[in-house]
Amino acid sequence: MQSKTSCFNGAVYRKTLSRYWPLWAGAALILFFSMPYLIARIDSSMIYGGMPAAAVVATIALEATNSLPVFTCLFGLVFAAATFDYLFTNRAAGLMASLPIRREGLFCSSFLAGLTMLLSAGLLSAALAALLALTKGVHDLGAVWTWLGAYAAESVTFYAVGVFCAMLTGHILVLVPLYALVNFGGVVLSGMLQYMARLLLIGVPADGTLAAFSWLEKLSPCEQLLVNTGMNYNAMPPEAVLSFRGWPVVLTYLAAGVVLAALALVLFKRRSMECAQEPVTAKWLGQLLKYIVTFFCALGLPAFIALFFRDNFSDSTVGVLALTALGAAIGYLISEMILMKSVRVKKKSWLGVAVTALVACLIVGAMQLDVFGYVHNVPDPAEIERAEVNAWYQLQAEITDADTLAALTDLHRDLIDEQEPGFYGSGDVRLTYHLKNGKTLTRSYTVRDDSSADCSAGRLRALLSRSDVFDASLEPWHDMTAQALEEVEISWNTPMPDDTDDYTGQYTSFFLDDRAAMDLWQNAILPDRSAGAFPSTTLSTVEHAYPSHLAITFTLRWEDRGTQMLYYVLTPDTTHTLAWLAAHGYEIPGIE
């Protein structure tokens, strides 16, 4: 009778569970304090005062999803290292290889044991949270089950990544940096490339992610899950129902985790157990990791020197190339020492040092010479649908007129000729072109201002003062709501004693609550805006403004676009707003 092939061994499964139950208990304890404990304290907690119990439970459960990537990433490494710990010592590896169990059975039994501990810890936490919520009179437990679903998906993802990394090495000390490389290598590489771009290129924005490198960040699951998942803060109860954002991202990385788990099985079946305590399990993998480390060091050394010693750092081409070559040499030699497990590297390694340093210098040199045309990429006016100009931290203008777009591109070319690369890019003016093909091009520059009409700052002011330029600095990005308000400030300068003509004295400000701010917006700001009473901020100075610099600043927070500041300068023409201030008891010197 033919024997049956099994992919599961109960003895290995149970033994793994019994050995590592303290890890399961630790994970369950951490998860307990992240959600069930907070639900248990609802009655005594002052943080959620005034909210119904159901809204509090939903808020706690969905807020707990914000930190899930951190916990599950840590759990994935710990449980993968524990359940496959026998791969990292010669004696244990030989013992497990001698068992009359197929490789598939050995792998699946250990893998499922770790996954059982991970998922059962989350299930226990969710069950306790649900039970505690029921004792508070809350029967809608959708948010708790949402937390459990997110936890389960992310746990599978990171555990699979950890197991996959364990199959690539035979040393537990190598597993940790390898796991970190898989989870964060993409975002670190993207950051280094962008920093180098700001050092060597002109027009690179000081903030944001360059499109050329943004795809690298998607290779970092932990960072992407932290950024793109969690509770939706767009509105708070009772005005809106809370929700979890990021299911597409979670499920995408879950699918990637399943694929990595399958690849881990393939690697385990072909693994030589004699490679225990070796840095890598295959020669080709060692060479691949060596060049990855070399490339990281080649880019990282000049970025590190520039970041921490910027006062004494020269961003000359020769200096950057020298640091790049030195970084490549350091990375290559360190990785060789790790692979050989000796500080004595082979003589032929120096040839590899020279080659990798040369390749790294060629990459940096190509960036410096703008081989890819980033610096001088100015779109043709016929290709532009509209352009946005953000300048001097307040000005926001939108341009659609063909002649004005042509003038803007001419100014853009002149700005390129004036620039020099800098540590943080340039921030005086940001140009964003929305092209007709659906693409977006963004550049940032410093403008020269010497009080002449021909300087770049003067030309920019003249261009933005055209009647066809739409001033977006006074327009909220969406309809104004109380939920979008962060703060609303009324401010002015009071005169110095015995000097009634100079209003550069003491600064005075008041902050409004949400109800007063919305009343001010609807009954004062909007009517004056409709009448065109507020002066445009596209001008260098505001004519007819009060010498006390009376202004109202709205600071708004939008879910899709971040923080927006609306700065309204008051003049005698803003009659509705002045009347509102007078009616609410604001006595401002110099204003009747």
Side-chain angles (χ1 to χ4, degrees):
M1 182 176 180
Q2 187 176 5
S3 61
K4 183 178 180 181
T5 300
S6 174
C7 291
F8 178 79
N9 185 277
V12 173
Y13 176 80
R14 291 188 296 271
K15 185 65 176 178
T16 304
L17 290 178
S18 63
R19 287 181 63 194
Y20 295 110
W21 69 266
L23 294 180
W24 173 87
L29 184 63
I30 292 174
L31 295 177
F32 171 77
F33 282 104
S34 72
M35 184 175 62
Y37 174 74
L38 297 177
I39 293 178
R41 295 180 66 247
I42 285 178
D43 291 342
S44 59
S45 174
M46 301 300 296
I47 299 176
Y48 303 98
M51 293 174 59
V56 176
V57 170
T59 300
I60 290 175
L62 292 177
E63 279 188 342
T65 62
N66 296 339
S67 56
L68 275 182
V70 176
F71 296 145
T72 52
C73 183
L74 176 62
F75 295 164
L77 173 62
V78 172
F79 279 89
T83 53
F84 288 92
D85 65 334
Y86 55 84
L87 298 177
F88 306 128
T89 58
N90 288 319
R91 183 177 180 180
L95 178 62
M96 296 299 287
S98 65
L99 294 176
I101 305 174
R102 291 176 60 91
R103 285 288 181 93
E104 294 89 339
L106 194 59
F107 176 88
C108 293
S109 302
S110 300
F111 184 89
L112 290 175
L115 195 60
T116 299
M117 289 187 285
L118 266 175
L119 297 182
S120 61
L123 181 61
L124 175 62
S125 180
L128 286 174
L131 181 62
L132 290 169
L134 290 173
T135 63
K136 307 294 182 180
V138 177
H139 299 282
D140 184 2
L141 303 175
V144 175
W145 307 134
T146 297
W147 177 92
L148 179 60
Y151 171 82
E154 293 177 21
S155 295
V156 172
T157 298
F158 289 112
Y159 181 62
V161 170
V163 172
F164 176 77
C165 292
M167 298 303 111
L168 300 178
T169 180
H171 205 295
I172 196 168
L173 295 181
V174 179
L175 173 61
V176 176
L178 185 60
Y179 184 79
L181 177 66
V182 174
N183 277 294
F184 302 101
V187 68
V188 172
L189 180 59
S190 175
M192 289 193 299
L193 287 170
Q194 291 181 73
Y195 195 83
M196 290 294 290
R198 293 186 177 98
L199 282 176
L200 301 173
L201 298 177
I202 290 171
V204 180
D207 57 349
T209 303
L210 298 182
F213 308 130
S214 60
W215 64 273
L216 290 170
E217 298 188 356
K218 293 181 172 56
L219 301 179
S220 300
C222 187
E223 186 269 345
Q224 288 292 293
L225 287 169
L226 276 172
V227 171
N228 297 303
T229 65
M231 187 176 82
N232 189 347
Y233 288 96
N234 191 37
M236 296 292 289
E239 289 80 5
V241 177
L242 294 175
S243 61
F244 176 79
R245 60 181 176 89
W247 277 121
V249 178
V250 171
L251 296 178
T252 298
Y253 284 109
L254 172 61
V258 172
V259 173
L260 288 178
L263 291 176
L265 173 59
V266 174
L267 292 173
F268 185 77
K269 291 175 62 177
R270 300 182 178 182
R271 182 188 179 101
S272 173
M273 288 299 185
E274 288 79 7
C275 68
Q277 296 185 331
E278 293 293 327
V280 292
T281 57
K283 185 177 180 180
W284 65 267
L285 177 62
Q287 297 302 312
L288 175 62
L289 291 177
K290 177 172 66 177
Y291 288 107
I292 290 176
V293 172
T294 299
F295 188 66
F296 268 76
C297 290
L299 293 178
L301 183 61
F304 175 84
I305 297 296
L307 180 62
F308 290 96
F309 302 97
R310 54 180 176 268
D311 293 336
N312 300 311
F313 178 79
S314 174
D315 56 356
S316 65
T317 302
V318 176
V320 174
L321 290 177
L323 289 173
T324 301
L326 179 60
I330 292 173
Y332 189 95
L333 292 175
I334 289 177
S335 55
E336 275 283 275
M337 293 176 187
I338 293 175
L339 292 175
M340 297 177 61
K341 296 189 291 185
S342 172
V343 296
R344 296 182 178 181
V345 297
K346 297 179 181 179
K347 292 183 179 180
K348 66 179 181 179
S349 298
W350 294 103
L351 177 61
V353 170
V355 172
T356 52
L358 178 61
V359 172
C361 288
L362 289 175
I363 294 174
V364 174
M367 187 180 295
Q368 172 72 68
L369 298 173
D370 194 27
V371 172
F372 303 103
Y374 179 90
V375 172
H376 295 88
N377 183 13
V378 180
D380 186 274
E383 301 174 350
I384 304 173
E385 181 178 349
R386 61 185 175 90
E388 296 175 1
V389 180
N390 297 76
W392 299 299
Y393 304 102
Q394 292 181 3
L395 184 151
Q396 302 171 39
E398 185 173 302
I399 302 173
T400 56
D401 178 72
D403 293 337
T404 308
L405 287 173
L408 179 63
T409 55
D410 290 339
L411 177 61
H412 186 176
R413 294 185 182 91
D414 292 340
L415 288 173
I416 293 173
D417 297 334
E418 296 178 1
Q419 303 302 302
E420 293 182 0
F423 295 111
Y424 302 105
S426 301
D428 284 350
V429 58
R430 178 192 290 261
L431 308 178
T432 303
Y433 299 102
H434 298 273
L435 306 180
K436 294 179 180 179
N437 60 7
K439 296 182 179 180
T440 301
L441 187 147
T442 302
R443 297 290 186 270
S444 184
Y445 303 98
T446 297
V447 294
R448 179 174 56 86
D449 193 351
D450 57 11
S451 301
S452 66
D454 293 333
C455 69
S456 54
R459 292 175 59 192
L460 179 61
R461 292 190 187 101
L463 186 147
L464 296 175
S465 297
R466 296 187 180 188
S467 59
D468 52 62
V469 175
F470 172 69
D471 181 9
S473 61
L474 303 180
E475 299 288 334
W477 292 333
H478 302 290
D479 292 337
M480 181 70 73
T481 62
Q483 287 74 28
L485 293 173
E486 284 197 347
E487 65 179 29
V488 178
E489 179 186 18
I490 303 172
S491 62
W492 65 84
N493 288 330
T494 55
M496 298 294 287
D498 302 325
D499 188 355
T500 57
D501 295 328
D502 183 8
Y503 281 84
T504 58
Q506 181 181 359
Y507 180 80
T508 304
S509 67
F510 293 92
F511 291 91
L512 304 180
D513 59 31
D514 291 350
R515 179 174 298 180
M518 290 303 298
D519 181 55
L520 170 64
W521 175 262
Q522 294 170 355
N523 299 314
I525 301 292
L526 285 181
D528 281 337
R529 277 181 51 203
S530 300
F534 286 108
S536 171
T537 57
T538 58
L539 303 177
S540 59
T541 59
V542 178
E543 299 180 358
H544 310 302
Y546 288 108
S548 57
H549 305 294
L550 174 60
I552 300 175
T553 305
F554 285 77
T555 303
L556 310 173
R557 178 70 182 178
W558 305 106
E559 177 68 21
D560 58 341
R561 300 180 65 176
T563 300
Q564 180 188 18
M565 294 186 67
L566 302 177
Y567 186 73
Y568 295 96
V569 179
L570 273 63
T571 70
D573 296 330
T574 56
T575 55
H576 293 86
T577 305
L578 292 173
W580 190 94
L581 293 175
H584 289 77
Y586 293 97
E587 298 181 359
I588 303 166
I591 298 178
E592 298 180 357

